[in-house]
Amino acid sequence: MVPAVSWKLFGLAAVAVALGLEAVYLFMRRRRPPPVREVLFFPTPLICTEQVLRPGTCCSCPLPHHTDSALSQLIRRLLGARRSLELCIFTFSSSPLAQAVLLLHGRGVRVRVITDSDYMAASGSQIGALRKAGVVVRHNQSSGFMHHKFAVLDKSIVITGSMNWTMQAVQTNKENLLITDDGVCVRAYMEEFERLWVEFDPAGYCFFPEEEKKGL
Ligand SMILES: [Zn+2]
């Protein structure tokens, strides 16, 4: 027969273990950063983004300074990337957003861009400047547009919505962007990016389709 004192000790030990586990759980919960759930709406007032792109620098341009906008919030979020940026964007002509991407590339963040073949050569497109800087860009070859507009940061945050990365979209259009670290969403967007990255491998490009059809 087990003495009553042993049962008491066993009970106390069980309570101590339970309290310890609860303390660990509460500690871990406190340490976990809050989930990322943001929505940005455009158009946004035209402001100088120099301070966001290069904090501490002086700028004397005529645009408003020391004020926030949806564009500066987007740039700040992008510049938070530390390891990778996957960008899948139909039209890209915004200079401030291109500067943000180039800053990441210059820091050693692995940047991959997928875009639309028809619009990458349009007037004001930043795709050429990105390629010139060494950013790897792939594009569609099919007749349908590569119409996605999303970015994945560090494989852990997705930015998606209606907005192309153009100054017209930023300053004129009614646009929305959702920013989330929801794991299910991030995984789905990463899978789509990787699927398109393989589909648009340059090894499969056909540079002169009309001539090839004619057998020239
Ligand atoms: Zn300025």
Side-chain angles (χ1 to χ4, degrees):
M1 188 173 162
V2 181
V5 176
S6 297
W7 279 113
K8 273 186 187 171
L9 282 174
F10 178 75
L12 284 171
V15 168
V17 168
L19 287 173
L21 286 173
E22 190 179 355
V24 169
Y25 171 73
L26 290 172
F27 178 72
M28 295 301 286
R29 255 188 81 171
R30 245 202 330 268
R31 282 172 60 89
R32 195 186 305 157
V36 176
R37 305 281 190 273
E38 290 174 28
V39 178
L40 300 178
F41 290 110
F42 296 81
T44 190
L46 184 57
I47 64 161
C48 177
T49 50
E50 195 58 27
Q51 298 285 339
V52 186
L53 289 162
R54 283 166 276 272
T57 55
C58 267
C59 181
S60 55
C61 80
L63 296 174
H65 296 82
H66 308 297
T67 180
D68 212 15
S69 75
L71 178 60
S72 51
Q73 288 175 52
L74 173 59
I75 291 173
R76 213 172 285 121
R77 176 61 71 183
L78 287 170
L79 293 179
R82 291 290 172 267
R83 295 177 301 282
S84 61
L85 168 66
E86 269 75 41
L87 179 59
C88 199
I89 197 87
F90 175 53
T91 322
F92 190 172
S93 62
S94 161
S95 174
L97 289 169
Q99 287 179 58
V101 173
L102 289 172
L103 280 170
L104 290 176
H105 177 64
R107 286 179 195 165
V109 172
R110 190 191 66 169
V111 178
R112 294 188 292 169
V113 176
I114 292 175
T115 192
D116 183 78
S117 58
D118 286 345
Y119 280 78
M120 67 183 180
S123 173
S125 172
Q126 297 289 331
I127 295 299
L130 296 179
R131 278 187 158 142
K132 201 172 171 187
V135 174
V136 185
V137 179
R138 293 186 178 184
H139 58 80
N140 61 324
Q141 284 243 299
S142 54
S143 52
F145 287 133
M146 200 312 293
H147 210 238
H148 286 315
K149 299 123 178 132
F150 69 84
V152 183
L153 314 181
D154 293 334
K155 297 186 178 179
S156 60
I157 292 176
V158 66
I159 302 172
T160 185
S162 65
M163 199 181 80
N164 277 302
W165 286 17
T166 67
M167 286 321 285
Q168 173 171 339
V170 169
Q171 292 169 23
T172 311
N173 297 351
K174 304 281 187 294
E175 307 277 7
N176 71 84
L177 286 180
L178 171 68
I179 305 174
T180 177
D181 66 352
D182 179 88
V184 174
C185 294
V186 171
R187 270 193 299 281
Y189 278 92
M190 273 307 302
E191 283 173 15
E192 175 66 355
F193 187 93
E194 297 294 356
R195 191 183 67 76
L196 293 180
W197 191 253
V198 170
E199 183 180 333
F200 300 154
D201 186 330
Y205 286 175
C206 178
F207 290 96
F208 305 103
E210 291 308 312
E211 284 82 346
E212 285 185 16
K213 259 188 235 162
K214 292 174 193 163
L216 297 175

